Amino acid sequence: MEDRLRFGRVEVAGSGGVRFVRSRGTVLKDTKGNPQFVFGISWDITSEVELGRKLEDERALMLHTAKLASIGQLAAGVGHEINNPLAIISGMTSVIDLLLDEGASVDVIRKKLASIENSVQRISDIVKGLRTFARSDSSELSDFDPFPMIRETVDFLREIYLREGIEL
């Protein structure tokens, strides 16, 4: 005696509708192994299938909503990350302007211009990272040296605080 469980789709004659059924049946065999009788039952599981589809649709909608929220957080983070180097550029241009009024040497001004160039490069790296992020779902990590960014920040702050008589 074999017991089998089956799932299938059935078109209901004359209604034009489709129902989903699950069936379970047993084949009774004679002593030689030849099938003699089939006993079985089928039951309608259309509501379960439709509920499963609705759950899948809701899951897809929730995933889409989560992606939109992530994009919003990404945009806020990018704005913050770009504002930092822009603040350095803005501050350094003010410092250069003051240094020019004070007759500072070309070497001092070039050092400040290098800070501006580093900030521009940081913005460029952020945009490049966004392009890479948009193209692939790769979770590949890469090494980077945070010290140039830290040095640049300290140099910028040193200039600001030095005007107030504070030495870093």
Side-chain angles (χ1 to χ4, degrees):
M1 201 163 58
E2 275 182 46
D3 194 24
R4 301 227 174 150
L5 184 64
R6 301 267 186 210
F7 167 76
R9 178 184 143 138
V10 176
E11 288 191 39
V12 179
S15 74
V18 174
R19 307 299 291 178
F20 293 88
V21 296
R22 183 162 281 141
S23 300
R24 178 166 278 206
T26 300
V27 178
L28 294 176
K29 299 178 182 177
D30 64 15
T31 55
K32 295 180 184 175
N34 297 318
Q36 295 296 306
F37 299 99
V38 176
F39 295 101
I41 185 170
S42 295
W43 62 98
D44 188 342
I45 60 166
T46 303
S47 60
E48 292 173 38
V49 171
E50 288 172 354
L51 181 62
R53 287 180 177 169
K54 284 181 185 176
L55 285 173
E56 273 304 310
D57 290 345
E58 287 180 21
R59 198 173 296 144
L61 180 61
M62 287 175 53
L63 180 61
H64 181 69
T65 302
K67 284 181 182 179
L68 289 177
S70 294
I71 289 170
Q73 289 176 341
L74 176 65
V78 168
H80 177 73
E81 285 299 315
I82 288 177
N83 274 336
N84 287 338
L86 286 175
I88 292 170
I89 292 169
S90 177
M92 282 298 164
T93 54
S94 296
V95 168
I96 290 171
D97 192 39
L98 289 172
L99 290 172
L100 287 171
D101 287 345
E102 295 171 359
S105 72
V106 172
D107 288 337
V108 171
I109 292 173
R110 280 194 175 128
K111 185 178 177 186
K112 302 308 172 201
L113 289 171
S115 280
I116 291 173
E117 180 58 34
N118 288 338
S119 294
V120 168
Q121 185 59 48
R122 245 180 94 199
I123 293 171
S124 176
D125 290 344
I126 291 167
V127 171
K128 181 180 170 188
L130 285 174
R131 286 184 185 148
T132 302
F133 176 76
R135 279 190 221 129
S136 71
D137 290 337
S138 173
S139 60
E140 191 175 308
L141 300 177
S142 62
D143 293 334
F144 74 97
D145 184 8
F147 293 109
M149 187 184 329
I150 293 169
R151 271 188 232 105
E152 178 183 327
T153 303
V154 170
D155 288 344
F156 176 68
L157 292 173
R158 181 177 288 124
E159 292 292 330
I160 292 171
Y161 288 119
L162 193 58
R163 283 186 243 140
E164 303 295 324
I166 301 170
E167 217 175 294
L168 289 177

